[in-house]
């Protein structure tokens, strides 16, 4: 994937996404011993970076494909992102969601115009139902993270970041399905000046950390983490990019995730979800690496259940 793809994508999705603000906190800088800049994708439309990839993926479809709609399986931010992007572009979005997904998430998807189809909470059931929608309606399947157009779309957040802050030494992101960190790594490679990309990952779901060591996609036996957006695993489209361009993945504990989340709420005065806090937790965990450096942190989203805060 070359530089021009990112430039063209950014131009394409501009009317459908926000160029999100960058915030700083002198108190957090003091705690970490580095200059931190927070790219606030929690202020993105539908509250997360995933709007970028969803919009780009739909915009790249043919007219015939658009008329037949799109389908994905997700209970999280991508379900909402694809629903809203599709609504804005006049396209039907079928969203396969596990029947165990919180009602608030199902309601949010419907609120954005998505057609919710419930299934058993297993990957097999999700894939089977998605395939049925493809066969029955001719809808195009769009994967939340393992899709080239989605990866490129997610990379535009870092591209914007480096345009406004071209001298960042590092950019950190959370790692879940791998779409954000892969897109970020491409943007850092093409638009940064020796800018390294580092991922943050919960110890409980450290498949990406192990995958980078083994050179093949690993899976998790546990999904016991507060960072519910990071329970998915890498895919064959994003993993080669991660292997080539990501410098390191730092694992953090559940306690460190909650502490970082609280710090963002207290010091930046913004709402971020646990998955987003992992990127800051990684920096705090390995302060020595980032000492006196300029570090970009992508706050990936702010869709948090306010009735279930961990602090």
């Amino acid at each position: 994937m070359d530089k021009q793809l990112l430039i063209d994508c950014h131009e394409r999705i501009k009317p459908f996404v926000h160029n999100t603000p960058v915030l700083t906190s002198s108190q957090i800088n003091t705690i970490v011993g580095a200059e931190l800049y927070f790219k606030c994708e929690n202020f993105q439309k539908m509250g997360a970076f995933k709007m970028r990839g969803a919009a780009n993926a739909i915009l790249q479809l043919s007219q015939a494909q658009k008329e037949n709609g799109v389908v994905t399986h997700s209970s999280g931010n991508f379900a909402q992102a694809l629903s809203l992007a599709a609504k804005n572009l006049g396209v039907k979005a079928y969203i396969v969601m596990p029947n165990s997904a919180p009602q608030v998430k199902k309601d949010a998807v419907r609120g954005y115009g998505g057609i919710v189809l419930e299934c058993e909470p297993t990957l097999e059931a999700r894939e089977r139902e998605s395939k049925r929608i493809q066969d029955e309606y001719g809808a195009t399947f769009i994967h939340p993270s393992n899709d080239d157009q989605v990866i490129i779309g997610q990379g535009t957040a870092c591209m914007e970041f480096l345009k406004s802050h071209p001298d960042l030494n590092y950019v950190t992101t959370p790692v879940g399905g791998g779409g954000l960190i892969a897109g970020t790594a491409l943007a850092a490679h093409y638009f940064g000046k020796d800018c390294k990309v580092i991922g943050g990952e919960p110890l409980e779901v450290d498949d990406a950390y192990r995958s980078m060591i083994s050179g093949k996609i690993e899976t998790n036996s546990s999904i016991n983490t507060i960072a519910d957006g990071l329970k998915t695993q890498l895919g064959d489209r994003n993993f080669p990019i991660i292997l080539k361009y990501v410098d390191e993945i730092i694992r953090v504990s559940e306690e460190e995730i909650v502490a970082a989340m609280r710090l963002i709420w207290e010091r930046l005065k913004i709402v971020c979800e646990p998955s987003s806090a992992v990127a800051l937790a990684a920096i705090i965990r390995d302060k020595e690496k980032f000492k006196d450096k300029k570090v970009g942190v992508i706050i990936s989203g702010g869709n948090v259940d306010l009735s279930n805060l961990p602090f």
Side-chain angles (χ1 to χ4, degrees):
M1 297 190 201
D2 62 19
K3 186 176 186 176
Q4 196 58 44
L5 284 175
L6 277 159
I7 294 167
D8 293 346
C9 169
H10 194 240
E11 212 47 50
R12 189 182 304 120
I13 67 173
K14 258 184 193 170
F16 304 100
V17 300
H18 296 312
N19 184 334
T20 49
V22 175
L23 299 182
T24 59
S25 162
S26 55
Q27 292 104 323
I28 294 178
N29 289 351
T30 301
I31 290 165
V32 176
E35 275 184 56
L36 268 54
Y37 300 87
F38 296 87
K39 175 74 167 162
C40 295
E41 286 292 293
N42 53 325
F43 293 146
Q44 189 51 264
K45 291 185 180 183
M46 54 67 54
F49 73 92
K50 296 202 171 186
M51 188 65 186
R52 297 173 180 272
N56 189 49
I58 296 174
L59 284 163
Q60 291 289 71
L61 298 178
S62 68
Q63 194 51 44
Q65 286 174 311
K66 286 176 185 169
E67 283 167 13
N68 287 335
V70 292
V71 59
T72 196
H73 54 74
S74 164
S75 59
N77 286 335
F78 196 74
Q80 295 174 54
L82 197 71
S83 300
L84 181 56
K87 183 183 180 183
N88 291 346
L89 291 161
V91 173
K92 266 188 183 172
Y94 301 96
I95 312 294
V96 177
M97 300 182 79
N99 51 23
S100 58
Q103 191 59 43
V104 65
K105 289 190 175 181
K106 295 172 191 170
D107 293 344
V109 170
R110 291 190 180 100
Y112 286 130
I115 300 160
V116 174
L117 302 134
E118 296 189 31
C119 67
E120 291 300 309
T122 66
L123 184 59
E124 293 77 21
R126 284 162 61 150
E127 289 176 345
R128 190 168 57 246
E129 184 64 7
S130 299
K131 182 77 170 66
R132 184 185 71 78
I133 299 302
Q134 290 172 72
D135 294 342
E136 201 169 310
Y137 300 104
T140 300
F141 180 73
I142 298 177
H143 193 280
S145 54
N146 196 42
D147 176 291
D148 290 359
Q149 301 304 333
V150 170
I151 292 165
I152 289 287
Q154 316 309 27
T156 60
C158 183
M159 183 182 161
E160 284 174 7
F161 206 170
L162 288 165
K163 278 188 174 176
S164 61
H165 296 76
D167 54 351
L168 294 176
N169 304 116
Y170 292 97
V171 174
T172 67
T173 81
V175 188
L180 177 61
I181 196 166
T184 298
L186 286 170
H189 174 69
Y190 289 121
F191 298 97
K193 296 171 187 166
D194 192 29
C195 177
K196 293 184 168 72
V197 172
I198 291 187
E201 191 173 42
L203 275 161
E204 290 286 334
V205 287
D206 67 348
D207 54 302
Y209 173 85
R210 288 181 285 112
S211 299
M212 282 188 70
I213 293 168
S214 70
K216 64 181 201 291
I217 296 172
E218 302 287 351
T219 58
N220 294 309
S221 53
S222 155
I223 51 166
N224 183 28
T225 177
I226 190 173
D228 60 330
L230 307 184
K231 292 177 180 180
T232 47
Q233 69 182 56
L234 306 179
D236 61 344
R237 302 305 303 165
N238 57 51
F239 183 49
I241 299 167
I242 293 166
L243 268 184
K244 188 171 182 182
Y245 295 118
V246 172
D247 202 58
E248 186 186 351
I249 291 174
I250 297 170
R251 298 176 299 171
V252 292
S253 70
E254 296 299 295
E255 294 75 24
E256 288 168 323
I257 295 168
V258 173
M261 182 181 175
R262 182 172 184 142
L263 193 60
I264 289 167
W265 283 57
E266 282 179 350
R267 299 302 182 186
L268 289 175
K269 315 298 182 198
I270 60 172
V271 174
C272 89
E273 56 196 69
S275 300
S276 301
V278 172
L280 174 60
I283 298 168
I284 296 170
R285 172 103 189 210
D286 200 352
K287 284 185 203 171
E288 205 48 48
K289 177 186 296 296
F290 302 101
K291 191 170 164 57
D292 300 326
K293 301 291 188 195
K294 291 190 172 179
V295 187
V297 184
I298 296 184
I299 302 279
S300 53
N303 294 328
V304 64
D305 181 357
L306 295 179
S307 63
N308 192 26
L309 288 177
F311 46 76

